[in-house]
Amino acid sequence: MPDPELRCPACGAPVPAGAERPAAFPFCSSRCRLRDLGAWFDGRYRVGGRDLEPEDLEEQAR
Ligand SMILES: [Zn+2]
């Protein structure tokens, strides 16, 4: 039985699970992950009074 197909929370695209899952899992790509995180941070947090840049999020993801 194949793994159940998951869907990217950001764009709704099918995301492969198991061994083939992308590094950005459960998102289909790092772009979608950053987009989702960005929206989340934007709505709830302001760090040091400045907006978070995508580069900041990428740095934290490593
Ligand atoms: Zn996506």
Side-chain angles (χ1 to χ4, degrees), residues 8-13 15 27-29 31-33 35:
C8 173
C11 73
V15 180
F27 299 94
C28 69
S29 66
R31 179 184 297 266
C32 277
R33 183 177 62 178
R35 192 175 83 180

Side-chain angles (χ1 to χ4, degrees), residues 20-50:
E20 293 191 17
R21 71 186 189 184
F25 189 83
F27 299 94
C28 69
S29 66
S30 57
R31 179 184 297 266
C32 277
R33 183 177 62 178
L34 289 177
R35 192 175 83 180
D36 191 78
L37 281 176
W40 192 81
F41 277 118
D42 195 49
R44 292 175 177 81
Y45 292 103
R46 296 286 175 176
V47 178
R50 73 181 177 88

